[in-house]
Amino acid sequence: MDKIKVILVDDHNLVRDGIKSLITGEEDIEIIGEAGSFDELELIMKRGLPDILILDIALGDTSGIEIAEMYKDKYPGISIMMLSMYMSDDFIFNSLRAGAKGYLPKNTSKKELLAAIRTIFSGSVFFSNEVSDIILKSYVNNANPDSPREGSEEMLTKREKEVLTFFAEGKTNQEIADQLYISIRTVESHKNHIMQKLNLRTPVDLVKFAIKNKFIEL
Amino acid sequence: MDKIKVILVDDHNLVRDGIKSLITGEEDIEIIGEAGSFDELELIMKRGLPDILILDIALGDTSGIEIAEMYKDKYPGISIMMLSMYMSDDFIFNSLRAGAKGYLPKNTSKKELLAAIRTIFSGSVFFSNEVSDIILKSYVNNANPDSPREGSEEMLTKREKEVLTFFAEGKTNQEIADQLYISIRTVESHKNHIMQKLNLRTPVDLVKFAIKNKFIEL
DNA sequence: AATACCGTCAGGCTTTTCCCCGGACAGTCA
DNA sequence: TGACTGTCCGGGGAAAAGCCTGACGGTATT
């Protein structure tokens, strides 16, 4: 039987080594490549495709989510497992929406990691109890995690995102208006729309949202 | 010769395994224990003290920085190396102030990790080029990273911290005034003082500062 | 063709914040 | 005791933001 071919993508050497050390010794799994960035990944993908891609969600340049989205269409045969520091439901749902077949926290155990790889390879999806809990809870509260969720950045238009970014960088409405060559009224409109869409109350909430959703660096 | 005794503290198994796999095989270094939380660490410290403590800066319950501060006095013989996801200068300086003898990013190489351990054990401090760059740059800009630094929360009075917290929670000046039973003018004063002390320009900066320094949850 | 949404803009008004001044009082420390 | 700092408060004016309403052309979607 062929081994399960895995490519590892994480910009932290320590994490990559951790996974490697956990997998080494398993006879049915083989790491055929590893990368610390999207560019590296693209290179090694040319040398041979894996069955499973283990992707750090918070990759430096191009995020794991973005990569997953691109590969979902480009390589439909490859299953993607997301690796994340956090059990944030935002991350989980974004991963699902991007087509990931599994979501593992970085404090996972060897047992869980191997189970996840084998499960995904068999064509199923794998979520630890903790992750499924979060998914279930959100179903209960929120109906459907697929369509843009309440308070998710996907509800915002391109322009609104621009305005939000500038604002969260500390620019005044007038400065934003000047920078975008629009009237200050328009800026106000956009901000209002954002607040309504996201159900936020104060400018401070806007800033927090922008940080949470990585519009700006903290 | 005795081996260098190391205890590993990180709440991500993968990272711990990564470090372990890097160290295994080195004859002069021995991992005598590992922990995923401060409580666990306290337990294994009772069974024997290490020479070096490798500490994740972003530990779940008690942060690595806090632990370093506590141990600096409690176990002056133990050298602490901080491990961090980010090259943020805030993290670096907080680590130094807490008495850490080294600062390593999680994407460090095996070579650097081993060099760091051995250097610290020999009594020196270890910083990669990248880290020293940041430290140097800050010296140039900022004079002295030891006494309460420019933009450090230690410069704020109790009252100012209260005001900042309320503000970063999204309260208006008036609301803050009501809550603290002071005049809105006083609130404005406090805010002004904070901005001056921290050298911040906009209210948005205030919010970011509050988040960075954990006055509020994101 | 109708509907819905996006992006743009405006008037007019209120509220809030910002800025630059000033001062009072209490506690601490040299 | 004198100097300093923290905390408190105010005036007055300028700037910014917020709120509500209404509007118009463009572009998808259906």
Side-chain angles (χ1 to χ4, degrees):
Chain A
M1 186 178 98
D2 272 357
K3 291 188 179 184
I4 304 175
K5 294 195 286 289
V6 174
I7 287 181
L8 224 54
V9 188
D10 193 305
D11 52 348
H12 303 289
N13 288 335
L14 293 184
V15 174
R16 291 215 301 272
D17 287 324
I19 297 175
K20 270 195 288 184
S21 82
L22 292 182
I23 289 180
T24 306
E26 300 301 311
E27 288 180 352
D28 56 337
I29 306 176
E30 178 188 15
I31 295 177
I32 64 167
E34 48 179 306
S37 68
F38 179 56
D39 292 340
E40 274 180 52
L41 174 62
E42 289 276 84
L43 279 180
I44 62 174
M45 291 287 278
K46 283 182 188 150
R47 297 207 302 263
L49 298 181
D51 300 304
I52 292 179
L53 203 56
I54 300 184
L55 260 183
D56 184 11
I57 204 168
L59 211 55
D61 47 354
T62 314
S63 82
I65 305 250
E66 290 173 86
I67 297 177
E69 261 164 10
M70 291 164 50
Y71 281 11
K72 176 171 62 176
D73 300 323
K74 197 168 172 190
Y75 305 110
I78 298 177
S79 299
I80 289 175
M81 178 152 68
M82 281 296 175
L83 208 56
S84 169
M85 290 286 276
Y86 312 104
M87 287 310 255
S88 139
D89 47 352
D90 270 356
F91 284 157
I92 293 175
F93 285 118
N94 283 331
S95 300
L96 296 185
R97 220 170 294 119
K101 296 289 191 298
Y103 187 98
L104 277 185
K106 282 195 183 174
N107 61 356
T108 188
S109 64
K110 171 170 185 167
K111 200 175 135 197
E112 201 163 55
L113 174 69
L114 296 176
I117 293 177
R118 294 188 177 113
T119 305
I120 291 179
F121 182 66
S122 78
S124 311
V125 295
F126 182 94
F127 301 108
S128 66
N129 289 334
E130 213 180 332
V131 176
S132 355
D133 264 9
I134 291 177
I135 297 176
L136 285 175
K137 270 186 200 141
S138 171
Y139 260 107
V140 174
N141 298 331
N142 236 333
N144 167 11
D146 236 45
S147 65
R149 268 174 334 113
E150 189 83 3
S152 130
E153 74 179 79
E154 268 112 273
M155 303 176 63
L156 300 184
T157 66
K158 207 184 296 176
R159 206 54 161 172
E160 285 163 350
K161 286 182 192 179
E162 281 176 15
V163 171
L164 175 55
T165 304
F166 282 130
F167 173 70
E169 279 169 357
K171 295 195 169 41
T172 65
N173 289 351
Q174 188 57 60
E175 285 169 340
I176 299 171
D178 292 345
Q179 210 132 357
L180 295 178
Y181 298 101
I182 57 180
S183 134
I184 192 171
R185 299 320 190 109
T186 311
V187 177
E188 290 175 8
S189 291
H190 286 312
K191 260 164 78 176
N192 273 332
H193 290 153
I194 298 170
M195 307 264 272
Q196 282 171 13
K197 283 187 183 177
L198 302 178
N199 195 25
L200 301 179
R201 279 187 49 259
T202 69
V204 171
D205 292 331
L206 272 183
V207 176
K208 292 184 197 169
F209 177 86
I211 293 171
K212 259 191 224 164
N213 292 274
K214 308 212 181 276
F215 284 80
I216 56 161
E217 303 265 324
L218 189 50
Chain B
M1 187 179 96
D2 271 359
K3 291 188 179 184
I4 303 176
K5 294 194 286 288
V6 174
I7 287 181
L8 226 54
V9 188
D10 194 304
D11 53 348
H12 303 290
N13 289 334
L14 293 182
V15 175
R16 290 214 302 271
D17 287 327
I19 298 176
K20 269 193 289 184
S21 83
L22 292 182
I23 289 180
T24 306
E26 300 302 313
E27 289 181 352
D28 56 336
I29 305 176
E30 178 189 14
I31 294 178
I32 64 166
E34 47 179 305
S37 69
F38 179 56
D39 292 340
E40 273 179 54
L41 174 61
E42 289 276 83
L43 278 181
I44 61 174
M45 291 286 277
K46 284 184 189 150
R47 297 206 302 265
L49 299 179
D51 300 305
I52 293 179
L53 203 55
I54 300 185
L55 261 182
D56 185 11
I57 204 168
L59 211 55
D61 45 357
T62 314
S63 84
I65 306 250
E66 292 174 84
I67 297 178
E69 262 164 9
M70 292 165 47
Y71 282 10
K72 176 172 57 174
D73 299 325
K74 196 168 169 190
Y75 305 110
I78 299 178
S79 299
I80 289 175
M81 178 151 68
M82 282 294 175
L83 208 58
S84 168
M85 291 286 276
Y86 311 103
M87 287 310 255
S88 142
D89 47 352
D90 270 357
F91 284 157
I92 293 175
F93 284 118
N94 283 330
S95 300
L96 296 185
R97 218 170 300 115
K101 296 288 191 299
Y103 187 99
L104 278 185
K106 282 195 182 172
N107 61 356
T108 188
S109 64
K110 171 170 185 167
K111 199 174 137 200
E112 201 163 55
L113 174 69
L114 296 176
I117 293 178
R118 294 188 178 113
T119 306
I120 291 179
F121 181 66
S122 78
S124 312
V125 296
F126 183 95
F127 301 107
S128 64
N129 289 334
E130 212 179 332
V131 176
S132 353
D133 266 7
I134 291 177
I135 296 176
L136 285 177
K137 269 184 201 143
S138 171
Y139 259 108
V140 175
N141 296 331
N142 234 334
N144 166 12
D146 230 48
S147 63
R149 261 184 334 119
E150 191 85 358
S152 132
E153 75 179 78
E154 271 114 83
M155 304 177 61
L156 299 185
T157 66
K158 208 184 293 177
R159 206 53 160 175
E160 285 164 351
K161 287 183 190 177
E162 281 177 16
V163 170
L164 174 56
T165 304
F166 281 130
F167 174 69
E169 280 168 359
K171 295 195 169 37
T172 66
N173 290 351
Q174 188 57 62
E175 285 169 339
I176 298 171
D178 292 344
Q179 211 131 358
L180 295 178
Y181 297 103
I182 56 180
S183 132
I184 191 172
R185 286 356 232 320
T186 309
V187 176
E188 290 174 6
S189 290
H190 286 312
K191 258 162 85 175
N192 272 333
H193 290 153
I194 298 171
M195 307 265 273
Q196 282 173 12
K197 284 187 183 177
L198 302 178
N199 195 24
L200 302 178
R201 277 189 47 259
T202 68
V204 171
D205 293 329
L206 273 183
V207 175
K208 292 184 196 168
F209 177 86
I211 293 171
K212 258 191 224 165
N213 291 275
K214 305 206 185 282
F215 284 79
I216 55 161
E217 303 264 327
L218 190 50

